[in-house]
Amino acid sequence: LPRRAGGALPEDHVAAAQRRAPGVPVIVPPPPPPPAAAEPERLDGWGFRGMGFELLPSGSVILRGARYSGSEVELPGLLPWVRQALAIEIDPRDIHPSSYPPTVPEPRLPPALMEELATALPAGALTTDPEQRLRHGHGHTLEEIYAIRYDGSRISRIPDLVVYPDSPEQIAALVAIGTRHDACLVPYGGGTNVTDALRCPAEEDRPIVAVNLSRLNRIRWIDPVNRMACIEAGAVGRHLQAQLAEYGFTLGHEPDSVEFSTLGGWIATFASGMKKNRYGNIEDLVLDLEAVTALGRLSHHGTFPRESAGLDLRRWLFGSEGSLGIITSAVVKLFPLPEVQRYDALLFRDFESGIAFLHDLSRETSPPASVRLVDNLQFQLSQTLRPPAQGAALLKRRLERWVVTNLKGFAPDRMAACTLVYEGTAQDVRAQERAVRALARRHGGLRAGADNGRRGYQLTFGIAYLRDFVMRHWILGESFETAVPWSQVSTLCERVKDRLHAECARRGIAGRPFVTARVTQLYQTGACVYFYFAFYHKGLPDPVGTFLELERAARDEILLAGGSLSHHHGVGKLRRDFLPRVFSPAALAWSEAFKQAADPGNRFGIGNLSVAGPPGRPAEEPAPR
Amino acid sequence: LPRRAGGALPEDHVAAAQRRAPGVPVIVPPPPPPPAAAEPERLDGWGFRGMGFELLPSGSVILRGARYSGSEVELPGLLPWVRQALAIEIDPRDIHPSSYPPTVPEPRLPPALMEELATALPAGALTTDPEQRLRHGHGHTLEEIYAIRYDGSRISRIPDLVVYPDSPEQIAALVAIGTRHDACLVPYGGGTNVTDALRCPAEEDRPIVAVNLSRLNRIRWIDPVNRMACIEAGAVGRHLQAQLAEYGFTLGHEPDSVEFSTLGGWIATFASGMKKNRYGNIEDLVLDLEAVTALGRLSHHGTFPRESAGLDLRRWLFGSEGSLGIITSAVVKLFPLPEVQRYDALLFRDFESGIAFLHDLSRETSPPASVRLVDNLQFQLSQTLRPPAQGAALLKRRLERWVVTNLKGFAPDRMAACTLVYEGTAQDVRAQERAVRALARRHGGLRAGADNGRRGYQLTFGIAYLRDFVMRHWILGESFETAVPWSQVSTLCERVKDRLHAECARRGIAGRPFVTARVTQLYQTGACVYFYFAFYHKGLPDPVGTFLELERAARDEILLAGGSLSHHHGVGKLRRDFLPRVFSPAALAWSEAFKQAADPGNRFGIGNLSVAGPPGRPAEEPAPR
């Protein structure tokens, strides 16, 4: 699809910026370059086309594509380690072949609706292409990716049409047309959610129009004096980072999905970035926003550091997951690019010592921008993903291992690793490093070096491709997360692991499930814990059904152990059945009443957050035990 | 009225705490002691009974009562300075005598309502005492205080009844009774608002029941491990501080009203404390809350450091100003009492240099807990409130003044002062002091010593009595505030001062109005600016009407200069006419739709935040120019 031509920013946006801060020399960046043809995204799974893990006949694994460090290098250790960790004989030649693309339902589009839409939108801004429609109807839950690759029968409903509006005015026109023709509208940002948020309600009989926001991707203005920028909701994280950096600024928001996810999506899901210790979560970064809703266009006259004015557009839209309207732009805080960025890594005797270190770090110091602690299993996995060393580097690595295990007595099957990213002025970073190292010593931590820190941090982007890779080899995997008070961090991790092991054993699942935890975000009262879970499913009669049972069991255990429904992934449709366990009936009634008031026609009928669910679905589902 | 007997905490509260963090040794503090009879509050104005300024026949002013430092000392310089600043000959014997208490309307209470209430509440928990009813129907706007002292004709409606429930269950019963009998319910915390938030809509024909929350004032539990506490909404700031300190903790929330205002009130108005740089604003401190609403009791199963779960009880109730329900308790973050607390003060050549210092402070360092900059007029006022020195102290003071004005060349009619409060570990405070002093030097600042800093910070509590004092001498005064981007701080202050001077001149107001600004809270993108405004009104035909016009003009100028509707005072009924200037029509429609959905009977019918206003009031008031 063609993208909108560049051109001057509508004058009213500049006027709006000037009204906010008269006399300030506002920067109006040029429109971002069209997405490089060299960076197409794949449609049948996560990430960039041409990137991904591959199992060679030799048994070595290789990360294809030149984007990430450590790619195109044979990793001989991964497969043996997976075999051992999962206690399964994985045969490189035994592949579960993908049948992507599945057959998808025909679009149901009344001609009158199409006619109006074609008039309201520029040429080339509508498509009924089946692959595009399919892509706009799912995120990245295990069930969704399994469905598009292996089991098209799980796809009963996808958007009937995808549209690419250029402007908030066109979105307002879409809502008006949707109202006249009783169609549903579903905003689409990066499509990276893992909550079934984009999955269309099977019972939805009305036409479903996916509203792709990729053409609303401009930085409207940068106010360098007050350090704010107005950015359109479809701006993608990696582009935004690059464009702001040209002016010496950063937003500092780096969720694991930052390569693909968008500003609007971050707001709609309460996103959290890996560097939130320094820059804050999305609710700390967004000062103001605009949206198109069933009641009209929400906007605010100015942008202020803080306000007590009852109404707060942000509060209504944060975490709304597409169910209340379409966010079109936001004013965000900016930070100067850090003078210094440094990585480090620490090893701890065990996960518990690492947690104790994080606890003290969150209270006694201002923690570095990013601090993440992985448990032993994840540490072992990261070691197998390390390109093999040779010559002097190999000797050095062996020596280090000897020091850690023999001299310091760390057990290879117990130790945990922590990666750190420092950002700030040289002076601040020096002071933070001093404080961190002193604290690490108190907890028996060993420094493992900047290289390991950098690798550990950047591994996130590579690891995201692992799930799709192992799926080819009959392994189902997923990540999930929670927030939990400090006192519960360690027990929650243990309980979730134990529960999943027990549930898998009870179901006779072959081998051993893979369950691993890391602590990724620190707060004064607690932390975010992030899990990976995988198991070998070949031979199971209903692998996805089994997976869903197990995932529910894990969430059940999280809630029992004092964890939250989610830290930053959200609810979507995946976890809405749990809402009655977490909120009082009156709170649920408020939520429903609010939705009803703000979207009386259920125009934004994607069904996320809704306990009752879409029409046709029983309002009272049995609550999990 | 008798207070509830102490006693064990209902078991479900302890259970709730344990569910949040199993195994953590939760502290259940004893109920707070009954309010000391020695601390009665006055009903005809601000503060404690027996406290307040008095003008002696000698022309000296004295602050009565032993509570504040500098009280019971004659201040000979205040009156001459006020005469000069306002350019008015104030005669100490020319007093505007208060006619408090005014005649108030008779209560309108259907006997059936009273019968049910008497059954649902403990004995002694209801009163129709006229003074209590009057007190529960106003806050501390100039118009309200003027009305109770001088012009009872301005009071057309007050609550018909005041009730003192003991528990959330009783509040739920009140809401049910209110629904059966179509009565309005108005939560009452400290009664310190300055937004007409407690003023009853004149057109309200239904019975109005003020729900005084002073008996819901317990700390239900303290979780010392995760540093959280569950506190009832009626807990008063000063009691809360004292009780938490017994366990080594602080909430760190110190709004100017902290002596009287309550946790529930802070939440309902989006309060901000003087030490927010270190501890955050109320939205940063409250992790969770419970409330009774028209749809039932809102509650949440757990308390988490952060959550993405769509629903967020806090978001609904923050800034709701009594219009959506009654907040009954909240879980808040705790901080250990600071190891070190130190004061300091700085002098700057002028207000602009001070603002430049604050700007850099907010960006280059982590600012001290409290940093406040007063302009020259307010600096002069604070000097006249300083007890006179004698002997060596006098010499020292003269020497200091000589150094500042002669050696450093600061002009007495231009310089500005900044007070600082440092809190934290000894090491952190030392580092902050170093950074602050280096930055102050860069901006030509001079250190003025810890004593001046302490006095400047604590003056806030004494100054609160000034307004009622000058009112006796025909001077009307008020404070108002805004939040504004950094680039606008200085021009906004200038414009508001100029506008008020011009508006007063245009109206032929005698002498010179007193308009002074201080910068009280720092953000990365801007600051909070707080104004005092006063003028001499003797001889004016409609002093309060004139005042209201002037106050609207000031707000108009604030909005034109890029400021917000409010930083932390809120909207209430005082500023709701401005909402259409600040939010788009759709945003206002959302707000109304939400209110309608959450409170379909307008049970919480106090009319705050409502653009349409209560029934009978024209929906379309003329927007200010």
Side-chain angles (χ1 to χ4, degrees), chain B residues 296-545:
Chain B
R297 289 179 65 176
L298 304 184
S299 67
H300 189 191
H301 171 273
T303 301
F304 313 108
R306 198 236 186 196
E307 197 177 17
S308 169
L311 284 71
D312 186 340
L313 313 184
R314 296 171 303 172
R315 286 188 284 155
W316 294 337
L317 275 301
F318 277 129
S320 58
E321 300 186 357
S323 66
L324 295 174
I326 299 179
I327 298 159
T328 53
S329 68
V331 179
V332 298
K333 277 190 214 171
L334 298 180
F335 301 85
L337 284 171
E339 192 181 307
V340 168
Q341 183 184 57
R342 277 213 285 273
Y343 293 89
D344 203 357
L346 297 165
L347 291 178
F348 291 94
R349 183 170 303 276
D350 50 30
F351 195 44
E352 286 66 35
S353 314
I355 292 171
F357 162 76
L358 296 186
H359 170 274
D360 291 356
L361 188 67
S362 76
R363 288 172 169 191
E364 297 178 18
T365 71
S366 84
S370 173
V371 184
R372 299 201 296 176
L373 175 76
V374 300
D375 68 5
N376 179 261
L377 198 61
Q378 208 164 141
F379 172 63
Q380 288 187 32
L381 170 63
S382 76
Q383 295 302 101
T384 69
L385 290 169
R386 210 169 159 185
Q390 278 163 346
L394 180 61
L395 276 178
K396 180 166 175 282
R397 201 180 277 188
R398 283 188 178 148
L399 178 65
E400 282 165 2
R401 189 168 306 167
W402 183 84
V403 168
V404 169
T405 55
N406 292 57
L407 207 62
K408 296 288 176 181
F410 281 23
D413 61 348
R414 289 197 48 78
M415 62 181 150
C418 178
T419 59
L420 302 139
V421 185
Y422 297 89
E423 292 192 353
T425 63
Q427 193 185 342
D428 289 349
V429 167
R430 257 198 314 276
Q432 279 192 327
E433 282 175 334
R434 265 199 305 273
V436 164
R437 287 169 194 172
L439 199 58
R441 277 195 297 276
R442 228 166 72 196
H443 290 278
L446 295 177
R447 285 189 60 202
D451 285 352
N452 281 317
R454 182 190 313 267
R455 214 176 51 82
Y457 186 79
Q458 293 180 349
L459 206 56
T460 308
F461 302 114
I463 277 187
Y465 292 85
L466 266 185
R467 201 268 300 277
D468 292 352
F469 163 61
V470 298
M471 202 184 259
R472 276 167 54 88
H473 301 281
W474 305 94
I475 295 171
L476 300 184
E478 184 63 292
S479 64
F480 49 87
E481 39 68 84
T482 187
V484 61
W486 277 117
S487 64
Q488 307 312 108
V489 172
S490 174
T491 48
L492 182 138
C493 293
E494 282 307 307
R495 286 179 63 164
V496 170
K497 290 176 188 178
D498 290 350
R499 175 79 179 266
L500 283 170
H501 280 278
E503 297 277 351
C504 285
R506 202 154 67 78
R507 286 170 177 78
I509 285 170
R512 208 172 17 231
F514 174 83
V515 199
T516 170
R518 66 170 181 246
V519 181
T520 55
Q521 266 98 343
L522 311 185
Y523 299 86
Q524 284 158 322
T525 59
C528 169
V529 179
Y530 200 97
F531 291 91
Y532 291 111
F533 165 54
F535 66 95
Y536 186 77
H537 72 83
K538 194 170 182 188
L540 283 182
D542 177 13
V544 171

Side-chain angles (χ1 to χ4, degrees), chain A residues 19 23 82 155 188-189 383 474 489 508 590:
Chain A
R19 192 181 58 225
V82 170
I155 304 160
Y188 181 96
Q383 295 303 101
W474 305 95
V489 173
W590 261 52

Side-chain angles (χ1 to χ4, degrees), chain A residues 425-489:
Chain A
T425 64
Q427 193 186 342
D428 289 349
V429 167
R430 258 198 314 276
Q432 279 191 325
E433 282 176 335
R434 266 198 305 272
V436 164
R437 287 169 194 173
L439 198 59
R441 278 194 297 274
R442 228 167 72 194
H443 291 278
L446 295 177
R447 285 190 59 201
D451 285 351
N452 281 319
R454 183 190 311 267
R455 215 175 53 81
Y457 185 79
Q458 293 180 350
L459 206 56
T460 308
F461 302 113
I463 278 187
Y465 292 85
L466 266 185
R467 200 266 302 276
D468 292 352
F469 163 62
V470 299
M471 202 184 260
R472 273 165 58 87
H473 300 280
W474 305 95
I475 295 170
L476 299 184
E478 185 63 291
S479 64
F480 49 86
E481 38 69 81
T482 187
V484 61
W486 277 117
S487 64
Q488 306 312 107
V489 173

Side-chain angles (χ1 to χ4, degrees), chain A residues 19-24 223-228 269-272 278 281-284 287 293-321 324-325 332-335 359 363-364 425 428 482-488 495 523-528 559-571 579 581-591 593-594 597-598 609, chain B residues 19-24 223-228 269-272 278 281-284 287 293-321 324-325 332-335 359 363-364 425 428 482-488 495 523-528 559-571 579 581-591 593-594 597-598 609:
Chain A
R19 192 181 58 225
R20 281 165 157 85
V24 166
D223 170 347
V225 177
N226 298 302
R227 291 189 183 160
M228 308 190 287
T269 58
F270 260 119
S272 174
R278 180 171 171 82
N281 286 321
I282 195 69
E283 66 273 22
D284 305 309
L287 296 167
T293 73
L295 303 189
R297 290 179 64 176
L298 304 184
S299 68
H300 189 191
H301 171 273
T303 301
F304 313 107
R306 199 238 185 194
E307 198 177 17
S308 169
L311 285 71
D312 185 339
L313 313 184
R314 295 171 305 172
R315 285 188 284 156
W316 295 337
L317 275 303
F318 276 129
S320 58
E321 301 186 356
L324 294 175
V332 297
K333 276 191 215 170
L334 298 180
F335 300 86
H359 170 274
R363 286 170 171 195
E364 297 179 21
T425 64
D428 289 349
T482 187
V484 61
W486 277 117
S487 64
Q488 306 312 107
R495 285 180 62 164
Y523 298 86
Q524 283 158 325
T525 59
C528 169
L559 296 184
L560 291 173
S564 68
L565 190 54
S566 166
H567 170 266
H568 60 272
H569 283 171
V571 178
L579 287 171
R581 230 172 105 168
V582 177
F583 292 100
S584 68
L588 299 176
W590 261 52
S591 183
F594 184 34
L609 296 174
Chain B
R19 193 182 58 226
R20 281 166 159 86
V24 166
D223 170 348
V225 177
N226 297 303
R227 292 190 183 160
M228 307 190 290
T269 59
F270 260 120
S272 173
R278 180 172 171 81
N281 285 320
I282 194 69
E283 65 273 23
D284 306 308
L287 296 165
T293 73
L295 302 190
R297 289 179 65 176
L298 304 184
S299 67
H300 189 191
H301 171 273
T303 301
F304 313 108
R306 198 236 186 196
E307 197 177 17
S308 169
L311 284 71
D312 186 340
L313 313 184
R314 296 171 303 172
R315 286 188 284 155
W316 294 337
L317 275 301
F318 277 129
S320 58
E321 300 186 357
L324 295 174
V332 298
K333 277 190 214 171
L334 298 180
F335 301 85
H359 170 274
R363 288 172 169 191
E364 297 178 18
T425 63
D428 289 349
T482 187
V484 61
W486 277 117
S487 64
Q488 307 312 108
R495 286 179 63 164
Y523 299 86
Q524 284 158 322
T525 59
C528 169
L559 297 184
L560 292 174
S564 69
L565 191 54
S566 166
H567 170 268
H568 60 271
H569 283 171
V571 177
L579 288 171
R581 230 171 106 170
V582 177
F583 292 101
S584 68
L588 300 176
W590 262 52
S591 183
F594 184 32
L609 296 174

Side-chain angles (χ1 to χ4, degrees), chain B residues 76-383:
Chain B
L78 182 58
L79 182 63
W81 183 82
V82 170
R83 280 180 180 143
Q84 177 241 314
L86 271 74
I88 285 292
E89 266 318 309
I90 293 164
D91 179 348
R93 290 155 308 182
D94 180 15
I95 284 176
H96 190 184
S98 164
S99 56
Y100 180 87
T103 316
V104 300
E106 283 299 303
R108 300 181 249 173
L109 287 167
L113 169 65
M114 283 301 281
E115 262 168 50
E116 270 213 66
L117 288 173
T119 314
L121 293 173
L126 296 87
T127 182
T128 53
D129 173 71
E131 263 191 287
Q132 284 302 326
R133 287 171 50 228
L134 177 65
R135 179 64 192 93
H136 284 74
H138 73 81
H140 282 275
T141 63
L142 180 279
E143 186 185 4
E144 288 170 320
I145 299 301
Y146 193 93
I148 64 170
R149 291 186 171 192
Y150 301 111
D151 187 1
S153 77
R154 291 188 164 268
I155 305 161
S156 52
R157 190 81 176 89
I158 63 168
D160 299 297
L161 178 72
V162 181
V163 297
Y164 296 79
D166 259 2
S167 65
E169 290 72 24
Q170 286 177 15
I171 294 178
L174 284 174
V175 173
I177 294 169
T179 304
R180 281 196 290 280
H181 296 273
D182 200 15
C184 285
L185 299 169
V186 180
Y188 181 96
T192 58
N193 79 79
V194 284
T195 59
D196 291 338
L198 286 170
R199 174 186 268 182
C200 297
E203 312 82 348
E204 184 56 77
D205 291 329
R206 301 173 294 178
I208 300 177
V209 180
V211 183
N212 182 305
L213 293 161
S214 61
R215 294 183 187 185
L216 274 94
N217 64 344
R218 285 184 72 155
I219 298 176
R220 288 189 188 159
W221 48 260
I222 294 173
D223 170 348
V225 177
N226 297 303
R227 292 190 183 160
M228 307 190 290
C230 180
I231 301 170
E232 292 181 333
V236 170
R238 72 180 194 279
H239 297 146
L240 200 49
Q241 282 181 329
Q243 216 184 351
L244 288 173
E246 286 174 32
Y247 300 93
F249 288 113
T250 179
L251 177 58
H253 186 68
E254 292 188 19
D256 293 8
S257 61
V258 68
E259 296 169 292
F260 309 104
S261 55
T262 61
L263 175 60
W266 299 335
I267 295 170
T269 59
F270 260 120
S272 173
M274 292 185 277
K275 295 177 180 166
K276 86 98 199 153
N277 299 337
R278 180 172 171 81
Y279 302 101
N281 285 320
I282 194 69
E283 65 273 23
D284 306 308
L285 294 169
V286 170
L287 296 165
D288 207 358
L289 58 78
E290 297 196 1
V292 178
T293 73
L295 302 190
R297 289 179 65 176
L298 304 184
S299 67
H300 189 191
H301 171 273
T303 301
F304 313 108
R306 198 236 186 196
E307 197 177 17
S308 169
L311 284 71
D312 186 340
L313 313 184
R314 296 171 303 172
R315 286 188 284 155
W316 294 337
L317 275 301
F318 277 129
S320 58
E321 300 186 357
S323 66
L324 295 174
I326 299 179
I327 298 159
T328 53
S329 68
V331 179
V332 298
K333 277 190 214 171
L334 298 180
F335 301 85
L337 284 171
E339 192 181 307
V340 168
Q341 183 184 57
R342 277 213 285 273
Y343 293 89
D344 203 357
L346 297 165
L347 291 178
F348 291 94
R349 183 170 303 276
D350 50 30
F351 195 44
E352 286 66 35
S353 314
I355 292 171
F357 162 76
L358 296 186
H359 170 274
D360 291 356
L361 188 67
S362 76
R363 288 172 169 191
E364 297 178 18
T365 71
S366 84
S370 173
V371 184
R372 299 201 296 176
L373 175 76
V374 300
D375 68 5
N376 179 261
L377 198 61
Q378 208 164 141
F379 172 63
Q380 288 187 32
L381 170 63
S382 76
Q383 295 302 101

